[in-house]
């Protein structure tokens, strides 16, 4: 009986030592791996957010640059003539050539669906619809005009 008790206690001691020798290194490696993974993921997330922010900033800057270029169309002499009552076929052709030049310059930009130039006299020049005039009530209710 003494021998079995001794064997049992040795078995228990060996089991405890084996458990300690197995779990302590695994716990240390697991904890270290967790914190390293957390650090790496945080770093990559921040880098990705910075990259995305820079890309959005560039996209917005490009949109504003394109808008500024587009706004120059409204200052062209043929556009001013067309918006006044002195419209000639020659000035209309010049306007559509401006629209075409804009489209060729920015042919990969799918954000602009149509180009409108709206004069204060309710006259509108549209890339797709041509030149036309709307009545005062419709003109004042136009969301583009109001904004």
């Amino acid at each position: 009986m003494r021998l079995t008790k001794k064997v049992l206690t040795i078995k228990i001691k060996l089991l405890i030592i084996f458990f300690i020798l197995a779990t302590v290194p695994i716990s240390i490696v697991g904890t270290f791996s967790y914190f390293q993974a957390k650090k790496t993921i945080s770093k990559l997330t921040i880098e990705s957010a910075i990259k995305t922010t820079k890309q959005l900033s560039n996209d917005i800057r490009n949109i504003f640059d394109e808008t500024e270029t587009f706004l120059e169309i409204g200052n062209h002499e043929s556009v001013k003539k067309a918006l006044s009552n002195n419209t000639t076929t020659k000035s209309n052709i010049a306007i559509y050539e401006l629209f075409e030049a804009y489209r060729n310059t920015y042919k990969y930009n799918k954000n602009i669906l149509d180009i409108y130039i709206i004069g204060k006299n309710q006259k509108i020049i549209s890339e797709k619809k041509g030149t036309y005039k709307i009545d005062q009530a419709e003109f004042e209710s136009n969301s583009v005009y109001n904004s």
Side-chain angles (χ1 to χ4, degrees):
M1 185 130 197
R2 256 180 167 245
L3 190 57
T4 45
K5 267 189 174 183
K6 207 174 196 183
V7 171
L8 263 171
T9 58
I10 291 174
K11 282 183 178 180
I12 291 173
K13 285 179 185 177
L14 283 173
L15 188 61
I16 291 171
I17 290 171
F18 177 75
F19 181 76
I20 290 171
L21 289 175
T23 57
V24 169
I26 289 173
S27 297
I28 291 170
V29 169
T31 304
F32 177 76
S33 297
Y34 168 77
F35 285 110
Q36 281 299 106
K38 182 179 175 184
K39 182 180 171 183
T40 302
I41 290 171
S42 293
K43 180 182 173 189
L44 292 175
T45 302
I46 290 169
E47 287 174 2
S48 177
I50 289 170
K51 197 177 208 180
T52 302
T53 303
K54 284 181 181 179
Q55 183 62 46
L56 285 172
S57 175
N58 286 337
D59 290 348
I60 290 170
R61 189 177 310 113
N62 288 339
I63 289 170
F64 279 114
D65 290 345
E66 289 175 9
T67 302
E68 283 180 16
T69 303
F70 168 70
L71 289 175
E72 292 172 9
I73 293 174
N75 293 327
H76 198 272
E77 193 59 38
S78 56
V79 172
K80 290 178 183 178
K81 279 184 182 180
L83 288 175
S84 69
N85 291 327
N86 302 330
T87 304
T88 64
T89 304
K90 192 175 182 179
S91 64
N92 285 341
I93 291 171
I95 291 167
Y96 294 110
E97 287 173 354
L98 282 171
F99 287 161
E100 188 176 334
Y102 178 82
R103 284 293 178 189
N104 286 334
T105 303
Y106 299 103
K107 61 184 164 189
Y108 301 109
N109 185 342
K110 305 295 184 217
N111 295 325
I112 299 175
L113 303 176
D114 194 2
I115 301 172
Y116 281 89
I117 300 174
I118 303 172
K120 291 182 179 180
N121 60 356
Q122 297 96 20
K123 197 166 190 183
I124 298 175
I125 304 169
S126 167
E127 178 185 26
K128 292 183 179 177
K129 294 181 183 178
T131 303
Y132 60 96
K133 195 168 184 171
I134 58 176
D135 64 14
Q136 186 69 30
E138 185 180 354
F139 184 70
E140 289 174 358
S141 68
N142 187 304
S143 62
V144 175
Y145 173 75
N146 288 323
S147 63

